[in-house]
Amino acid sequence: MLSLLVVGAIVLAIALGYLTRINIGLFAIALAYLIGSFVMGMTPAEVIHLWPLKIFFIIFSVCLFYSFAIVNGTLEKLAEQMMYRCRRVPHFLPYAILGASTLIAALGAGYYTVLAFMAPITLMLCARTGLSLIAGGMAVNYGALAGANFVSSQSGIIFRSLMTGSGVPESEAFVNAIGIFVATAIIPLIVVSGFVFLSNNKRAMADAMQHVEAPSPLNREQRITLTLTLIMMAVVLLPPIAHLIMPESAVVGYVNARINIGLVASIFSVIALLLKLGDERKAIAAVPWGTLIMICGVGMLIAIAIKAGTIDLLASWIGSSIPPVLVPVAFGVVAALMSLFASTLGVVTPALFPIVLPIAHSLSIDPMILFISIVVGAQATAISPFSSGGSLILGACPTDEKRAELFPKLLFRAAPLGFGVALLFNLGLSFLF
């Protein structure tokens, strides 16, 4: 009975957030308090302690540093450079959009920021070059997703934090995050290649791309910001990679154990401020506070579900009712259906990641396969107009007519196409691994 109440609370928080357009995390906090204190007998202090402080700190610190690249225009200039370099091979424009979105997101801008910036540019390019709106929309959406999934970018950090919070060792979480990034980088290439080689608008695109002007070079602040970003990525990524290669080295193990991306990002934020790479107030304002509240608020409600035994109950049901070979497919389908109406980062992965280890251990499945299946499934339908990605792309439409034209294409063509490719990919994972 208690588990049903908690599941109902999660569904209610998502529904209320969707209907009212109020942050889901705020509803989740309120429901966590009501159920935790008045149904389960927890003290208010115990409920407050469920706030995932580690995840909050890491996301805040990393996003604060990366916000300097947003504020001083570094990311915008990189996107312009990539578009310019594509002018001689215009039929590869979807690859340029995909590559620019992936690179900017991987450098730390995050999924929502990249879409907010790149979606208007993409729709403008579609109008000027004759590129299909579906091809452009899927390229920018997939690119933002894949880049953000990089191990040192926003989504990748969240996935690693959720995995370690679910009991996965830090080194395994790092490897799993690499697997998620590789998988979500392969799928866009398959989909975009289909659009590139099956479309018939290469000639019109070639004519339209002849007059693209060269962007101005990076200024001092932008050059330093890009250099700092690459240095920070090296500092964060090299020790765990070295530890995987040389697990017996005491020096490597000592350094790796003391590298924390949140603390490293804090140091680089101070360096950015001392070098005057951006305004402090604007950088802090650029932190995705809404995403932070949603992830941590839902995290509190998921923690209530864990205490109530809901997660264990769900894990045992999946483990006993679905053939092991189809478990990754089942996870992907559930994640895709949830992602039609809810956020992958704020709702889907916090809800599903905690049940991965119990199921993986009971069915002798590699946990990485299940983590990948969840993310691939969830991000397959992120372009739905009811989800965050699709809604941002719709919001970038310049007119109501364009918005009305794009809405059914996202809902009835892009989302089903993404779901179909993800389903086939997860089927392949199931039978190959």
Side-chain angles (χ1 to χ4, degrees):
M1 186 65 181
L2 181 57
S3 292
L4 288 175
L5 178 63
V6 176
V7 171
I10 295 172
V11 173
L12 180 62
I14 296 171
L16 289 173
Y18 174 71
L19 293 172
T20 64
R21 299 298 177 186
I22 296 173
N23 194 306
I24 294 172
L26 298 175
F27 289 113
I29 293 171
L31 291 169
Y33 168 55
L34 293 174
I35 295 174
S37 286
F38 297 99
V39 178
M40 298 175 61
M42 299 172 63
T43 65
E46 289 173 332
V47 175
I48 292 172
H49 285 155
L50 298 179
W51 178 268
L53 185 60
K54 181 180 177 182
I55 294 177
F56 177 87
F57 174 74
I58 289 175
I59 299 172
F60 164 74
S61 300
V62 173
C63 290
L64 177 61
F65 169 69
Y66 285 139
S67 65
F68 287 97
I70 299 169
V71 169
N72 63 27
T74 302
L75 300 181
E76 181 178 356
K77 195 60 63 68
L78 288 174
E80 292 174 355
Q81 288 283 353
M82 293 196 71
M83 297 299 178
Y84 174 71
R85 295 181 187 282
C86 186
R87 72 194 185 282
R88 299 192 188 280
V89 281
H91 54 285
F92 281 178
L93 180 60
Y95 288 116
I97 296 171
L98 176 68
S101 303
T102 302
L103 176 62
I104 296 171
L107 288 172
Y111 173 61
Y112 301 104
T113 302
V114 172
L115 267 191
F117 164 65
M118 285 294 295
I121 295 176
T122 300
L123 295 182
M124 178 190 69
L125 287 170
C126 288
R128 290 170 54 183
T129 65
L131 175 66
S132 162
L133 285 173
I134 296 298
M138 294 199 77
V140 68
N141 184 69
Y142 268 137
L145 288 169
N149 291 344
F150 190 60
V151 289
S152 63
S153 193
Q154 186 184 114
S155 300
I157 293 165
I158 292 170
F159 295 152
R160 288 167 60 189
S161 299
L162 291 172
M163 283 187 273
T164 54
S166 301
V168 179
E170 186 69 44
S171 58
E172 291 184 21
F174 181 82
V175 175
N176 292 343
I178 292 176
I180 290 172
F181 170 69
V182 171
T184 54
I186 291 173
I187 292 175
L189 288 175
I190 297 172
V191 176
V192 170
S193 295
F195 279 111
V196 168
F197 295 106
L198 297 178
S199 65
N200 297 315
N201 57 355
K202 299 183 180 67
R203 187 65 165 179
M205 292 174 64
D207 294 338
M209 292 285 285
Q210 288 180 351
H211 307 293
V212 176
E213 297 181 358
S216 59
L218 298 173
N219 61 29
R220 169 194 169 273
E221 289 78 13
Q222 293 165 347
R223 289 196 303 271
I224 296 175
T225 300
L226 182 58
T227 302
L228 280 180
T229 301
L230 296 175
I231 292 173
M232 195 194 85
M233 291 174 67
V235 170
V236 170
L237 296 177
L238 290 181
I241 293 174
H243 186 61
L244 290 174
I245 298 173
M246 300 178 289
E248 304 300 326
S249 172
V251 175
V252 172
Y254 178 86
V255 173
N256 183 54
R258 283 154 182 79
I259 293 294
N260 178 279
I261 189 168
L263 295 171
V264 170
S266 298
I267 293 174
F268 276 81
S269 294
V270 173
I271 295 172
L273 286 170
L274 291 174
L275 293 175
K276 302 187 183 303
L277 301 183
D279 182 83
E280 179 183 356
R281 293 183 179 179
K282 291 181 179 179
I284 292 175
V287 172
W289 294 108
T291 302
L292 269 172
I293 293 170
M294 180 169 59
I295 291 169
C296 294
V298 173
M300 291 179 69
L301 194 52
I302 297 299
I304 291 288
I306 293 172
K307 286 185 174 292
T310 307
I311 301 300
D312 293 335
L313 191 65
L314 180 59
S316 64
W317 179 82
I318 292 177
S320 61
S321 303
I322 300 175
V325 72
L326 294 180
V327 168
V329 177
F331 267 111
V333 171
V334 171
L337 293 175
M338 292 176 67
S339 183
L340 278 171
F341 304 98
S343 164
T344 297
L345 299 179
V347 177
V348 181
T349 49
L352 297 181
F353 272 22
I355 66 176
V356 166
L357 283 187
I359 292 177
H361 292 157
S362 65
L363 300 178
S364 299
I365 301 174
D366 187 344
M368 180 194 290
I369 302 303
L370 299 184
F371 286 126
I372 291 175
S373 299
I374 291 170
V375 176
V376 166
Q379 296 188 343
T381 53
I383 200 169
S384 157
F386 299 117
S387 193
S388 50
S391 61
L392 281 171
I393 294 174
L394 281 178
C397 289
T399 64
D400 290 337
E401 290 78 12
K402 283 290 184 183
R403 195 172 294 113
E405 175 189 351
L406 186 57
F407 184 93
K409 291 182 178 180
L410 295 180
L411 183 60
F412 298 114
R413 290 178 59 188
L417 176 61
F419 177 77
V421 173
L423 184 62
L424 292 174
F425 186 88
N426 286 340
L427 272 172
L429 283 180
S430 300
F431 288 102
L432 290 176
F433 299 98

